[in-house]
Amino acid sequence: MANTKSSTQRTASTSGLWRITEWIGIALYAALVVQYFILWVKPGPDDGARIATLTMMVIFEFVLGHSGVFMSVFPRRVALIVFVPFYGLFALALNASLPGNAIMVLYCGVVLMRMRFIFSDPSEDAKFKSVGMSIISLFLFMVCIIGFSAASDVLPQLGLTSEYLSAIDFRNITSSSGDFVDAPHAAMAMGMTYFTLLAMFEILVYGLLQKHEHPA
């Protein structure tokens, strides 16, 4: 009886901890959405590096989506020894094309969240939901990147006009190229939309608005 009670208490404690980390993730998404919106609508004269970083972050999210699936389903040792450094190489490559180290900081933060599976013993339900969210994020990413790339010519530039980009010499801030680099307003619109949808799906899948029932 005592062992059963102790196990129940540990389960409740673990559940509460996971719920907190899930809300931390939602808060990070909200902060990103605000940043994308501000840089799209009213960028400042010194925001070129931030615009370049958030533009590449949209692309980097595709890498992070894969990492979530693999780190969730593979054994802990494989995830720690193989996948963490493997995806770190992608982070280094993207980080090298940008001023500062924002991509590496983002990667380290996300990896810490993924490591809940490596250093803890989550329930099968938690694993299933995590893999499901990784799949949903990849689907959302593909829909958004195709849609916003195709619509870049009709999306409003708002603050990211050609005159503004020329004034801050945006082309020389990042050494990368591509549709979103040529049209950063589309990247800001996609980032704002993608992370908003991702937060909504996580709230729905993880049931974060439902009342948490404590075991008796």
Side-chain angles (χ1 to χ4, degrees):
M1 180 70 69
N3 290 337
T4 301
K5 183 177 181 180
S6 176
S7 176
T8 301
Q9 290 175 340
R10 286 197 300 271
T11 300
S13 176
T14 301
S15 176
L17 179 61
W18 275 73
R19 198 173 184 86
I20 291 173
T21 59
E22 288 157 3
W23 274 116
I24 290 174
I26 298 299
L28 290 174
Y29 293 151
L32 283 172
V33 168
V34 171
Q35 288 298 309
Y36 278 110
F37 177 76
I38 292 174
L39 292 177
W40 184 19
V41 175
K42 195 175 181 180
D46 299 322
D47 285 337
R50 294 171 63 198
I51 295 169
T53 297
L54 290 185
T55 297
M56 293 305 297
M57 197 176 293
V58 167
I59 301 172
F60 188 59
E61 177 62 21
F62 182 65
V63 178
L64 295 181
H66 281 90
S67 71
V69 175
F70 288 125
M71 289 185 187
S72 298
V73 300
F74 275 81
R76 299 180 187 182
R77 182 173 297 181
V78 174
L80 184 60
I81 297 176
V82 178
F83 292 116
V84 171
F86 176 76
Y87 285 105
L89 294 177
F90 285 92
L92 285 172
L94 287 174
N95 189 70
S97 68
L98 296 167
N101 298 298
I103 290 295
M104 283 305 299
V105 171
L106 171 67
Y107 177 75
C108 290
V110 172
V111 166
L112 287 175
M113 296 293 289
R114 309 297 190 200
M115 282 185 177
R116 292 180 298 174
F117 289 97
I118 301 175
F119 296 114
S120 64
D121 188 21
S123 65
E124 290 301 318
D125 180 64
K127 290 181 180 180
F128 177 78
K129 288 179 178 179
S130 180
V131 173
M133 272 309 309
S134 295
I135 295 172
I136 289 173
S137 70
L138 289 175
F139 174 77
L140 288 176
F141 177 87
M142 296 306 298
V143 171
C144 286
I145 197 169
I146 293 173
F148 283 95
S149 294
S152 61
D153 291 337
V154 298
L155 286 171
Q157 294 179 337
L158 299 180
L160 297 176
T161 61
S162 300
E163 293 76 14
Y164 169 80
L165 296 176
S166 297
I168 65 172
D169 197 18
F170 183 71
R171 293 297 306 175
N172 290 326
I173 292 177
T174 174
S175 60
S176 60
S177 61
D179 292 341
F180 280 164
V181 175
D182 296 333
H185 66 284
M188 299 302 108
M190 174 183 166
M192 189 177 70
T193 303
Y194 171 78
F195 285 109
T196 297
L197 292 174
L198 199 58
M200 293 173 62
F201 271 102
E202 286 203 5
I203 291 173
L204 179 64
V205 170
Y206 291 123
L208 297 183
L209 296 181
Q210 298 176 1
K211 290 185 177 180
H212 184 60
E213 297 182 1
H214 296 280

